Amino acid sequence: ATCAASAECASGVCMPNYPLNGTGTCRVTCNPSAPSCVTGRTCYPISATAGTCVPTANPTSQWRIRVASAIVDQLDPASNTSWDSPPGPPDPYYCVQTMATSTQCSTTVSDTYTPSWSTPLTQIYTDGDLASVSMRFYDEDLFSDDTIDSAIGPYDLRCGWAMYPCSYNVNRAAIPASGLTSFIISIEPN
C-alpha cells in the first residue's frame, strides 16, 4: 500500500509516526527471531518470520480494554444451530488474558446478536501486556458456555501497534470457526 506522507504501511494498514524505510511507503521490517531495529524500537511480530519495528513499550503506560460492540452470527458455527434452547439469541460476554495477567471477563449481555459494553474491564494493562493479549467470546448458558470465538490474538488486535489510545474494528467474517462477524475493541487510558 502507498500511504500519505505522515503514515506508512504494514500488512496493508497505514499508520502514522513511524520511521520509513528506503521506499517511503512501509515500516522498517524485521525478523522476530533475530530483530534488528534501531534503538528505541522493538520488533513487533506480524507472523513467525516477519515483523515491523515499532516504538519500544513504555513500562509506565496504563491501559484498559473495552469491546465497544460486536456482531454475533445468527447460528453457532460448531453445530449450525441456534445459540440457545429454546432457539434464541446468545448471551455474549468476552474474556481477555495476557501472559502477565490473569483472565478477566466482561459482564454478560442477555439475548442479543449485537451486544455492547460501555465500561472497560477493571484490569490495568501495560504496553508489554497488550503485545501478548488474547481474547475470547462466549455465550453464557445454564450448564456450559458455548464458545463464540476463541482464536483472537495480538495479530488480530492490531489496534495501532503501540499507538494507544485507539479504537479498531476487527473483522471476523472470513474465519470459518468464528461465531462473530466483527467487533470493535477500544484501548483506553486508565
Side-chain angles (χ1 to χ4, degrees):
T2 301
C3 303
S6 64
E8 51 195 297
C9 71
S11 296
V13 179
C14 294
M15 305 297 271
N17 304 324
Y18 289 119
L20 302 175
N21 66 14
T23 65
T25 58
C26 292
R27 294 185 198 169
V28 175
T29 59
C30 55
N31 181 337
S33 62
S36 58
C37 300
V38 297
T39 302
R41 306 276 178 207
T42 189
C43 188
Y44 182 89
I46 296 171
S47 71
T49 58
T52 186
C53 296
V54 299
T56 302
N58 179 348
T60 62
S61 65
Q62 294 189 340
W63 306 103
R64 293 175 68 189
I65 294 175
R66 174 175 66 97
V67 171
S69 62
I71 300 172
V72 180
D73 295 346
Q74 298 283 320
L75 299 176
D76 179 347
S79 62
N80 204 32
T81 61
S82 176
W83 289 102
D84 287 340
S85 181
D91 307 298
Y93 68 96
Y94 65 94
C95 297
V96 173
Q97 182 176 4
T98 71
M99 291 192 309
T101 63
S102 60
T103 300
Q104 186 173 35
C105 298
S106 71
T107 57
T108 299
V109 182
S110 297
D111 298 320
T112 183
Y113 296 108
T114 56
S116 62
W117 293 269
S118 59
T119 306
L121 299 176
T122 57
Q123 175 69 46
I124 306 301
Y125 301 93
T126 66
D127 283 357
D129 292 333
L130 295 176
S132 68
V133 71
S134 64
M135 182 178 287
R136 295 170 184 225
F137 284 80
Y138 298 98
D139 166 31
E140 185 177 274
D141 289 325
L142 188 57
F143 297 109
S144 177
D145 294 352
D146 297 319
T147 300
I148 295 174
D149 195 322
S150 65
I152 304 167
Y155 302 132
D156 304 302
L157 303 174
R158 294 184 296 261
C159 188
W161 278 298
M163 291 179 56
Y164 310 114
C166 67
S167 184
Y168 182 73
N169 183 43
V170 181
N171 187 337
R172 302 291 290 170
I175 311 298
S178 176
L180 284 176
T181 300
S182 64
F183 66 94
I184 297 174
I185 185 171
S186 181
I187 309 294
E188 305 169 357
N190 179 34

